[in-house]
Amino acid sequence: MKKKIKERKEVFKTDSDIVIKKTYPVKEGRVETPGKFPFTRGVHESGYRSRLWTMRQYAGFSTAEASNERYHYLLNQGVSGLSVAFDLPTQIGYDSDHDLAEGEVGKVGVAIDSIRDMEILFKGIKLQDVSTSMTINATGYILLAFYVALARRQGADLKAISGTIQNDILKEYAARGTFIYPPKPSMKIITDIFEYCSNELPKWNTISISGYHIREAGSTAAQELAFTLANGKAYLKAAIDKGLDIDVFAKRLSFFFNAHNNFFEEIAKFRAARRMWAKITKELGAKEARSMMLRFHTQTGGSTLTAQQAKNNISRVTLQALSAVLGGTQSLHTNGFDEALSLPTEEAAKIALRTQQIIAFESGVTDTVDPLAGSYFIENLTDELEAAAWKYIEKIDVMGGAVAAIEQDYIQTEIGNAAYEYQKNIESKENVIVGVNQFTEDEAPPEGIFKIDDSIRIVQTEKLKKLKAERNSEKVKVLLAELQSKAKAGENIMSTVIEAVDNETTLGEISDELRGVYGEYL
């Protein structure tokens, strides 16, 4: 007998004492149930009636010490999961003392050069007790290694560790640019992570396939949907080709979508994404329902934030967050209203979190599953977005898949064309952006902007000097040689990378060792 899911309340009611049902009928002629294939209405039978989404706030800046202080602040404010931002040198595999790191250390995220930085970053935080999402791609395997090594030092049970590394390198080539190695060796590293985590970290989400950055680069909603799922399909095939069981590793894949400004289109996009992924995984051989479920994190649209009349962004973020919730997101980050100007201040981060909490506890939208199901508009918009996305995926399949489409510049060109059209419409005022091209006013320069100065690089460089003076350098050389050997032989590199970081090998040293094997993608 199936166990009854425990809900947050005995009975859900409106302020007028009307009882809210768990589900309501959908489009005539279509029978779809939450928690059942193809999951259009949600991956969980009871939606948010049993459990709310994870409320994350993306944070990371300056040094590990400064970011740790912000994490403790956010946890005390009610955040239920951490989301870590890393600076550009960390993202592209350079230590803070590298010449190419100058001017960028600690600026757009936290600088992490070694296991010592990682220890400081999570000081006072038990990794077994939190879910951590790390936005990291080309060096995702190294940051995961830092996390595993630190968890071991804390005495954590690795089987209980939960979180996500973004680890989506294909969208870096198409939309964002923080890649290191060519596509094929990068895909090999990703499948190494799939294999390692399947055996050692069963609760860890091994990849967050990201439409977010595709949308930030200027794509349409249909393109975001299509290119993200095409990348997901490529990761599935790569893992299957490695001999992995789709019904094991597919359960640990997650997605990361943008919540943009067109309220109803975004809701339809999330619903269509679940249905499409269910079909893709089934066609590739998945048999278990959990293998076919698209679980996703959402972040409100960074590119929609305006420097002009910045407090208008609170309204934008609220509507975007609401679309994600109505679309059934599993976790959510809401942007600070000042992020078009700088990293978010504590005040902006708190307002962003409170926005989620108000939606969750005051709006009533969490009391029934898929509240807009059955709406003629939403049902048809879901169908139309799905059809538009399949057309793109069919073209990509003809080219040989997402890797080939990226190598042929197809995806990049389509995104670029869409971004150009969007900007043209803003400049012609076809699209109104409040405070930017309509309803403008003179404003005083903003005050209280959160700035990071260049002294952070000096601090990190001194830490690196100290680490290299104190560690066992001979052990580091041996482990780097072993890493090179495994990479050349095509073996799984994860266990060696974990041992290397535990012995205080730096992120830059590991990245450079593999640059020597795989080369760089320019």
Side-chain angles (χ1 to χ4, degrees):
M1 183 176 175
K2 188 176 179 181
K3 185 180 178 182
K4 183 173 169 36
I5 295 170
K6 182 175 170 51
E7 297 186 343
R8 291 182 294 114
K9 298 178 184 178
E10 291 294 324
V11 180
F12 292 82
K13 295 181 180 180
T14 69
D15 292 343
S16 303
D17 215 30
I18 297 169
V19 174
I20 305 295
K21 299 176 184 177
K22 183 166 72 176
T23 56
Y24 290 82
V26 295
K27 188 175 179 181
E28 187 178 350
R30 176 183 287 157
V31 179
E32 291 184 329
T33 305
K36 303 288 185 185
F37 183 90
F39 309 106
T40 312
R41 303 191 63 190
V43 295
H44 297 302
E45 179 186 322
S46 58
Y48 302 129
R49 287 166 66 102
S50 56
R51 181 183 174 187
L52 297 172
W53 63 92
T54 301
M55 298 182 194
R56 297 188 186 277
Q57 285 306 110
Y58 190 46
F61 58 91
S62 182
T63 60
E65 289 88 346
S67 291
N68 175 262
E69 188 177 328
R70 176 65 68 88
Y71 295 154
H72 280 285
Y73 169 79
L74 290 170
L75 289 167
N76 289 334
Q77 294 299 317
V79 159
S80 49
L82 297 176
S83 191
V84 185
F86 299 95
D87 71 357
L88 281 175
T90 303
Q91 292 180 48
I92 54 177
Y94 293 119
D95 288 334
S96 297
D97 59 358
H98 195 285
D99 289 346
L100 292 177
E102 187 173 357
E104 293 294 345
V105 177
K107 292 294 179 70
V108 299
V110 62
I112 299 293
D113 296 317
S114 73
I115 185 70
R116 294 188 186 185
D117 288 329
M118 204 70 166
E119 283 185 310
I120 295 166
L121 186 67
F122 290 101
K123 185 178 180 182
I125 300 169
K126 291 185 177 180
L127 300 190
Q128 195 167 317
D129 295 341
V130 295
S131 168
T132 303
S133 174
M134 295 188 282
T135 303
I136 195 74
N137 297 284
T139 56
Y141 67 104
I142 304 174
L143 271 299
L144 177 59
F146 283 144
Y147 201 84
V148 170
L150 178 56
R152 285 176 175 170
R153 290 185 180 190
Q154 290 186 353
D157 176 6
L158 293 187
K159 304 292 184 188
I161 292 292
S162 67
T164 305
I165 42 171
Q166 191 165 101
N167 196 32
D168 177 8
I169 202 63
L170 292 180
K171 67 95 174 51
E172 294 297 325
Y173 302 113
R176 193 163 172 269
T178 64
F179 46 75
I180 302 174
Y181 317 115
K184 287 183 174 62
S186 293
M187 289 290 281
K188 191 267 178 188
I189 292 172
I190 286 170
T191 57
D192 283 358
I193 293 169
F194 288 174
E195 184 177 47
Y196 172 80
C197 291
S198 292
N199 295 325
E200 304 296 333
L201 268 70
K203 289 190 174 182
W204 191 267
N205 295 323
T206 51
I207 193 168
S208 178
I209 304 159
S210 176
Y212 183 85
H213 300 99
I214 290 169
R215 192 63 175 279
E216 290 291 284
S219 80
T220 65
Q223 288 172 338
E224 178 190 358
L225 187 55
F227 300 154
T228 306
L229 297 184
N231 287 348
K233 192 174 179 180
Y235 293 126
L236 287 177
K237 287 186 171 180
I240 291 167
D241 289 344
K242 192 180 177 75
L244 300 181
D245 183 347
I246 190 171
D247 279 317
V248 174
F249 73 83
K251 295 170 187 173
R252 303 319 310 170
L253 307 188
S254 66
F255 286 79
F256 174 23
F257 287 113
N258 196 303
H260 217 265
N261 276 338
N262 192 310
F263 184 72
F264 292 109
E265 184 175 53
E266 294 303 288
I267 297 166
K269 178 185 75 181
F270 300 133
R271 299 174 87 250
R274 280 191 293 269
R275 191 157 72 205
M276 292 176 73
W277 185 245
K279 293 174 183 176
I280 288 168
T281 50
K282 189 172 185 179
E283 285 173 5
L284 288 174
K287 295 179 177 61
E288 296 181 24
R290 281 189 60 216
S291 308
M292 305 177 204
M293 292 178 181
L294 182 144
R295 297 165 298 112
F296 67 100
H297 169 71
T298 311
Q299 182 174 338
T300 55
S303 62
T304 69
L305 302 176
T306 64
Q308 302 92 328
Q309 300 177 31
K311 288 189 177 176
N312 290 345
N313 293 326
I314 297 172
S315 299
R316 293 186 179 99
V317 167
T318 302
L319 286 168
Q320 292 165 6
L322 184 57
S323 75
V325 171
L326 291 172
T329 192
Q330 274 64 65
S331 73
L332 177 62
H333 164 77
T334 33
N335 291 326
F337 68 83
D338 54 3
E339 288 190 56
L341 299 163
S342 67
L343 291 169
T345 58
E346 281 194 0
E347 179 196 17
K350 185 194 290 185
I351 291 171
L353 175 60
R354 295 290 182 257
T355 299
Q356 292 198 50
Q357 290 165 338
I358 289 167
I359 291 171
F361 296 105
E362 297 186 29
S363 70
V365 298
T366 61
D367 292 352
T368 188
V369 185
D370 197 16
L372 293 178
S375 156
Y376 179 85
F377 181 39
I378 285 292
E379 295 291 350
N380 279 276
L381 195 52
T382 301
D383 291 346
E384 288 169 18
L385 265 175
E386 180 180 2
W390 280 126
K391 286 181 182 177
Y392 280 113
I393 290 175
E394 286 161 8
K395 287 182 185 177
I396 291 167
D397 285 344
V398 168
M399 292 178 189
V403 175
I406 288 165
E407 290 174 339
Q408 294 172 45
D409 282 335
Y410 170 71
I411 293 175
Q412 298 93 308
T413 300
E414 290 295 313
I415 294 170
N417 290 341
Y420 175 70
E421 289 300 318
Y422 185 76
Q423 187 60 34
K424 268 203 322 182
N425 288 338
I426 291 173
E427 291 178 9
S428 68
K429 298 187 179 181
E430 177 74 18
N431 291 352
V432 172
I433 308 297
V434 174
V436 176
N437 63 1
Q438 286 273 51
F439 315 111
T440 58
E441 57 188 42
D442 293 331
E443 294 182 88
E447 297 179 357
I449 289 177
F450 191 176
K451 292 183 178 178
I452 305 294
D453 64 48
D454 289 328
S455 67
I456 303 305
R457 185 168 187 245
I458 298 169
V459 172
Q460 288 299 113
T461 298
E462 288 303 312
K463 285 183 183 178
L464 283 164
K465 283 180 182 176
K466 188 172 188 294
L467 175 139
K468 289 177 181 179
E470 294 174 349
R471 72 185 183 180
N472 184 338
S473 297
E474 286 305 311
K475 181 69 173 175
V476 168
K477 286 180 185 177
V478 169
L479 287 166
L480 286 173
E482 183 182 323
L483 176 63
Q484 181 189 99
S485 176
K486 281 194 170 183
K488 285 181 176 178
E491 296 175 27
N492 192 310
I493 63 171
M494 280 306 300
S495 60
T496 303
V497 175
I498 293 166
E499 188 179 357
V501 301
D502 196 34
N503 281 274
E504 303 194 319
T505 311
T506 71
L507 173 136
E509 289 169 333
I510 292 170
S511 299
D512 283 346
E513 198 65 42
L514 292 187
R515 281 184 177 96
V517 178
Y518 300 139
E520 290 189 86
Y521 190 74
L522 303 174

